[in-house]
Amino acid sequence: LQADLDCHHTSSAHLLSLPVFSSTAEEILSVLVPRLTDLTKSDCIWQRICWRLVECVPDRWMEAVVLGFVQRTPGADVLSRLLGNLVVKNKKAQFVVTQKLLLLQYCHTTAVLQNLLGYLSLDSLRRALLVKVLQELLETWGSSSAVKHSPLEQQQYISKAILICLSLLKEPEIQSCRQELLTSMMEGVKCHLDSSLPQIRRLGMIVAESISSKINTDGPVLKFQYEEDDEARELKSLLVQTPLLSVVPSRPDDGRNEKTDAALPLVLESNKKSHTAAPVMPEEESDAELDSDDDLIPYDMSEDKELKPKAPVYIRDCIEVLTGSEDVDKWEATVKALESLVRKNPAATREVSVELAKILLHLEEKTCIEGFVQLRQRAQVAVLTTDPIPVAKYLTSQFYSLNYSLCQRMDILDVLVLAAQELSCPKSHGKTKHTVAQKPCIQLLPGNDSSKDWRRIVDERIKSKTRRFATGQSRVELASGPNEFNSVAGHFFFPLIQHFDRPLTTFDLLGEDHFVLGRLVHTLAVLMYLAVNTVSWLSNRYVRQGLLSCVSSTLLSVPAERLLEDMTEELLETQSWLGDVVEKDPDGECRRLALQNLLLMENLKQKLKTIPS
Amino acid sequence: MALPPPDPQFVLRGTGAAVHALHFSCGDQEPDVPVLFSGSENGLIHVWNLKTHRVDTALDGHGRKSVYCVETIGGRNRLLSQGRDQRICLWDLAEGRTSVTDSVFTENVGFCRCSLLKVAEGRWLMAMAAKALEEVQVLELPSKTSVCTLKPEVGAKLGMPMCLKLWQLGCGSQPLLLAGYEDGSVVLWNLSTGKALSKLVCHQEPVMSLDFDSEKAKGISGSSEKVLSIWSLNEQQNLQVYKTHKLVNAGISDITIRPDKKILATAGWDHRIRIFGWKKLKPLAVLDYHTATVHSVSFSDHKNPSERLLAAGSKDHRISIWSIYTQT
């Protein structure tokens, strides 16, 4: 039974992680977590299954999974059942639990903190982490720059975490690090009392008192005087160890996030202070003066809303937003504005072109934007046409790299073709409309020696085909500028034909990913065509031979049915091109290869005819 | 049912560039027309006739570099202007003249507006950001002699001074300077000793503007973040935070308290002018007219309260003039 279960875990973990990372996480986890809670209640085998499951979650989704579990489990004991010693076994999970959720984020509720820290306390293997966490929290709490510059909410969060840790640690553990606790407390309380904000001062006092009470179990303890309001009482209650059983915490969500207005408590505090550390503030409430503010009647301010976030104006800001920003509105605005920004700022784009290309290649849809795929592709094309050589180098190198999805590889090919088209007809900058217009295309082609008939047919077909995976069709605008593609065509073409016959672990052009091979060949044909004026390398027979070999490989390796079904038109184009090569190509080897390919095609057709349908 | 906010009484167009500085001079009797001085990014200072709403004169004295501060120094015929050409110019505008009579080469390339304070008849103090990064220099005008240089202590890391306010409690008492710095702190300086009396960290971001009410010993500062900070000065001359006010949108370019200390206006990066009651910082109105950042706000010095105006200059090249809360 164990063996059976083991072999399914990796794939299940992947399955589990995929939805978690996407927007359906809520639904999945809200169903999954209670179910697992029930199953693992008494059944050890299910507990083990659950542990194996979370251990197999890939690193990049570990944070989302762990956070999801921590937020949804009703108590630390349930979390312990579900995660087991994940935090000890997995480095990423350990980082998320001991660093990220405690020191780098502060938006989570007190209940989440109690779950997390309670989970750490429930196993002897994990308790060592609890002590380490306390020391790190104290280091941050006591750092004078953190006290001066971190937001109030973050300091409150850390203070709460410290108090919970103190409640969970046993006496021997506390005594073992007594000296360090004392030192941190002394340093920290000084920074807090130096602060000009009364709330910070009070946080310092409460935490210091708590630490003092824990380390001086007999003898005098530190005692401050401060306002005993709800917040203070709530903080001090955390010091009392709550049972770690799964009782739904009765405290409502008091997790302060950045949106909380800190102004109000500040005003209340300033009026009622009574402790020694701060000077006395003027009492506003007992002002005998007539309040002349009341004479001033406010106007209607309901229209005063937050400004819609604008897209950044600088390319580098776009990069920042796309790679890190949590602000989804800004992200959306950036994605929409990126193409035009890139085109308006070619110099700035050239400075960061490869980085931008990388980001765009990996860009995933964060929110539901209409036409996201289009927007991304157009931005990529814009970047590529602005700085063709380095970006083409990057993209073609990534085409054959590990760990890309087929979709991404096809993306690369599409972008290369579109950019090549744009470069060869410079006036079409950003104006490729999605309308069908084939006839005008033929007459206004760039270059002037398209004397071969097959080229015209190919061109027509190519122009109608290159948008195959997108809606609509592209139209090449009037062109009368120089063909800019020629100078960079080599960078587009040669890297692509380099490795087509070498399979990688995740990408096998001649094997199961033959669909991409077909597209690759097509792409190469387009690139070749568009560089029509680069006489020098067109006449390079090695290039033509390479292309012909590609075609052979495609014909040989792709199942006939697939070829004839999905790529009928390409096959016809290729056939007429091959016919031309056989008749007119100056190079003997090319003629031979072309003939060979024609024969292969005939064979395929014959084969299919003979198979009863 | 609250009334919708008023529209501008009128709008001055024609600067042709972003407006960075405004100053009214309306206190004089007839036949002197009330005027508004404006400094623009194209280096010109326009003298607007508030009766005709047209430019009477354009002064070109900063080599086409942005003018970011204009003040009158002893009446409407003596103007002081500060520009990004690193110069502070003194103009003589009497009897139709438009000449620069004197100038100070500040050697400072920042944007910190200078501050003026009349200390005696014919004598002013002027505080300005100096050549060295964190320093503020105080000069006496018109003699241009240096009174003191205010240097923060080594390692204070205040950054550039961003805004200045010279004040004194009453005539004859010692002048003090409030300075807002790049690191978000406001420092109170004693000019006679050249030492800092108190420092308060009000903001996490640079202090963009501040104003101070010496009668109530209360001041207000705005920054590039979403918070307005109101602070007070106690008997020991220590600055303390009094309250903070969270804004809807981040970024304040300018703050000014009306001379009668009843209301104050803020110029926002979100294109809006906000009016608050000064006593309790009660939000009173949001004036949404401009289509770009508002760089400057200024209240007029009309003797007749009902004629009082508020002017706002924006990056959209326009100056809006408002008549608001004039009955109190």
Side-chain angles (χ1 to χ4, degrees), chain B residues 46-121:
Chain B
H46 291 99
V47 184
W48 298 88
N49 181 320
L50 291 175
K51 283 255 154 50
T52 63
H53 306 173
R54 295 275 197 277
V55 174
D56 270 353
T57 330
L59 307 170
D60 186 359
H62 288 277
R64 297 293 157 145
K65 293 280 169 70
S66 180
V67 176
Y68 56 93
C69 180
V70 281
E71 297 256 5
T72 50
I73 176 166
R76 64 178 37 225
N77 289 324
R78 303 267 300 146
L79 188 70
L80 179 144
S81 64
Q82 188 178 19
R84 295 223 64 219
D85 59 346
Q86 302 180 42
R87 290 204 314 158
I88 294 179
C89 290
L90 289 163
W91 302 77
D92 172 19
L93 303 175
E95 290 156 13
R97 290 191 284 269
T98 58
S99 48
V100 177
T101 54
D102 209 351
S103 67
V104 175
F105 186 47
T106 63
E107 292 184 281
N108 177 273
V109 294
F111 297 85
C112 181
R113 294 179 176 133
C114 64
S115 174
L116 283 175
L117 179 70
K118 185 169 181 179
V119 285
E121 203 52 47

Side-chain angles (χ1 to χ4, degrees), chain A residues 200-220:
Chain A
I200 305 277
R201 290 197 287 266
R202 194 174 62 169
L203 270 182
M205 290 188 249
I206 294 177
V207 172
E209 276 186 0
S210 314
I211 300 179
S212 161
S213 67
K214 285 283 175 182
I215 59 180
N216 298 321
T217 44
D218 44 25

Side-chain angles (χ1 to χ4, degrees), chain A residues 301-324:
Chain A
M301 291 179 278
S302 55
E303 288 298 303
D304 185 24
K305 293 189 197 93
E306 257 185 73
L307 270 189
K308 276 225 76 157
K310 294 268 176 63
V313 202
Y314 299 109
I315 299 283
R316 285 183 195 270
D317 288 346
C318 288
I319 293 180
E320 223 179 277
V321 173
L322 291 174
T323 50

Side-chain angles (χ1 to χ4, degrees), chain A residues 284 291 297 299-300 304 307, chain B residues 3 242 272 274 280 325:
Chain A
E284 271 293 290
D291 199 312
I297 303 160
Y299 286 94
D300 175 29
D304 185 24
L307 270 189
Chain B
L3 290 172
Y242 177 67
R272 299 173 200 164
R274 290 163 201 282
K280 291 202 179 132
Y325 294 113

Side-chain angles (χ1 to χ4, degrees), chain A residues 510-511 514 517 548-560 563 571 596-597 599-601 603-604 607:
Chain A
L510 298 179
H514 51 75
L517 177 66
L548 288 164
S549 312
C550 270
V551 176
S552 310
S553 311
T554 317
L555 291 172
L556 286 171
S557 53
V558 178
L563 268 181
L571 276 184
Q596 202 173 51
N597 284 330
L599 288 172
L600 279 172
M601 289 180 105
N603 281 346
L604 282 173
K607 231 190 266 179

Side-chain angles (χ1 to χ4, degrees), chain A residues 14 49 70 94 98 114 131 135 145 153 189 196 285 329 348 374 404 417 424 454 465 512 547 601:
Chain A
H14 277 268
I49 294 175
V70 171
Q94 190 178 107
T98 62
Q114 281 170 326
V131 179
Q135 286 169 337
S145 69
E153 292 82 0
V189 83
S196 52
E285 306 302 284
D329 288 321
Q374 291 271 55
Y404 281 101
V417 167
S424 56
W454 72 265
K465 273 306 165 67
E512 37 178 50
L547 194 52
M601 289 180 105

Side-chain angles (χ1 to χ4, degrees), chain A residues 148-150 196 258-261 263 266-267 270 279-281 284 287 289-301 304-307, chain B residues 2-6 200 204 226 240-244 246 248-249 262-263 270 272 274 277-286 324-325 328:
Chain A
K148 275 191 211 154
H149 299 120
S150 327
S196 52
E258 302 106 297
K259 296 204 180 77
T260 310
D261 192 341
L266 214 52
V267 176
S270 65
V280 178
M281 294 287 248
E284 271 293 290
D287 223 3
E289 227 176 278
L290 233 187
D291 199 312
S292 54
D293 262 13
D294 287 343
D295 289 352
L296 302 164
I297 303 160
Y299 286 94
D300 175 29
M301 291 179 278
D304 185 24
K305 293 189 197 93
E306 257 185 73
L307 270 189
Chain B
L3 290 172
L200 180 66
Q204 313 273 38
K226 276 189 184 183
Q240 307 147 297
V241 172
Y242 177 67
K243 76 196 282 191
T244 56
K246 188 151 181 219
V248 171
N249 292 306
K262 295 261 177 69
I263 60 174
D270 62 353
R272 299 173 200 164
R274 290 163 201 282
W278 177 221
K279 232 179 147 55
K280 291 202 179 132
L281 214 74
K282 172 168 147 190
L284 292 174
V286 176
I324 191 163
Y325 294 113
T328 55

